[in-house]
Amino acid sequence: MMHLADSLNFSGRKVVAAWASVPFPALRGYSLPDILCAYQQDVPWKLLSSCGEGKRSCCFAQSVVLRGICKESRISCPGKPPPSPLHACESTEQVLQRYFHTLFPGAFSTSHVLEQPCHTPPPYPQFFSPLLTRQGFLLDKPPAHSSAAVESIPVLAALQSSPVLHTLLHGLYKDLRRLNTRRCASFFAAGVEQDSFEEALQELRTLSQCYETGLEADESDSDSD
């Protein structure tokens, strides 16, 4: 994990945020381009890290893994014009790459597609919607009879070097800056020097600035004094 995070960071950045879609919202009988075309202005996953949702789709670099989607699924129909650029791709990997290139222009993105889904046997909690099939694919409407337990699900997970990390890091810096170190005698008695603490605090502030874009820079300037 550490090496993967390092590969996604540059320009002084060191931290990545985790995102996931459990399960990935794959409709039964639909191809991956069909599914992703419904998410042209957003992403089909949620932020797991405590950074707060970003105001816009933006990232510097990311690594994405999609599990449980068959690679042999037909992308486009021969003899018919593709309904979208995603449908013109020849493989699921190309579909993801084009989707990310459109959603995050200029970002470094890597994607991997694995056919094996995530299995959910007991004691995995069955908190899934009744709209899911046993294989974790979405139905258009609930089945007439209660279905069996979900045995596996498609999952999408991502690590991103993203501006949303500025919120987390800069918030941590502000909380630590408010700390009255004179009341932490036991903390410094453990061997932490005041100068080392101040140096680490400034390094944290510098790290948060590495994730700034225009909007985040305005926020930092407003409370820098």
Side-chain angles (χ1 to χ4, degrees):
M1 185 69 73
M2 179 181 64
H3 294 302
L4 179 57
D6 288 342
S7 68
L8 296 175
N9 283 305
F10 43 86
S11 301
R13 305 182 187 105
K14 300 179 181 180
V15 186
V16 293
W19 306 69
S21 179
V22 183
F24 179 70
L27 287 166
R28 187 176 65 173
Y30 284 72
S31 67
L32 182 59
D34 294 332
I35 299 168
L36 293 179
C37 280
Y39 294 92
Q40 292 295 324
Q41 302 300 324
D42 202 354
V43 289
W45 61 76
K46 294 296 183 181
L47 182 63
L48 301 182
S49 303
S50 57
C51 306
E53 294 289 347
K55 296 180 180 179
R56 54 181 175 173
S57 296
C58 178
C59 77
F60 307 115
Q62 63 182 345
S63 177
V64 183
V65 176
L66 176 60
R67 297 185 57 175
I69 300 297
C70 181
K71 290 187 176 184
E72 280 71 29
S73 297
R74 176 166 292 182
I75 303 300
S76 59
C77 298
K80 295 183 179 180
S84 75
L86 294 180
H87 290 81
C89 298
E90 298 179 356
S91 67
T92 49
E93 286 87 353
Q94 290 183 7
V95 171
L96 283 179
Q97 282 296 112
R98 176 166 293 208
Y99 175 71
F100 294 134
H101 178 73
T102 302
L103 200 62
F104 306 107
F108 170 74
S109 299
T110 63
S111 58
H112 305 276
V113 179
L114 306 177
E115 292 188 20
Q116 184 179 12
C118 288
H119 296 285
T120 57
Y124 198 98
Q126 291 293 315
F127 47 62
F128 303 108
S129 165
L131 290 174
L132 285 187
T133 67
R134 295 175 63 182
Q135 291 74 36
F137 292 98
L138 286 169
L139 298 170
D140 294 328
K141 57 182 179 179
H145 304 284
S146 60
S147 59
V150 177
E151 299 177 352
S152 63
I153 54 173
V155 171
L156 187 146
L159 292 178
Q160 278 191 355
S161 176
S162 167
V164 298
L165 286 160
H166 175 268
T167 303
L168 173 66
L169 297 172
H170 192 68
L172 179 59
Y173 161 75
K174 290 193 296 183
D175 290 341
L176 291 173
R177 188 181 61 178
R178 298 189 189 102
L179 181 65
N180 187 349
T181 56
R182 296 179 180 179
R183 298 182 178 179
C184 302
S186 60
F187 177 71
F188 289 102
V192 179
E193 299 290 340
Q194 179 67 38
D195 291 342
S196 298
F197 176 79
E198 294 294 338
E199 181 180 354
L201 189 61
Q202 291 306 313
E203 289 178 355
L204 180 60
R205 182 174 184 268
T206 300
L207 179 61
S208 72
Q209 292 172 340
C210 293
Y211 294 88
E212 287 180 344
T213 59
L215 295 177
E216 290 84 4
D218 293 341
E219 175 188 345
S220 299
D221 293 339
S222 64
D223 54 17
S224 60
D225 297 332

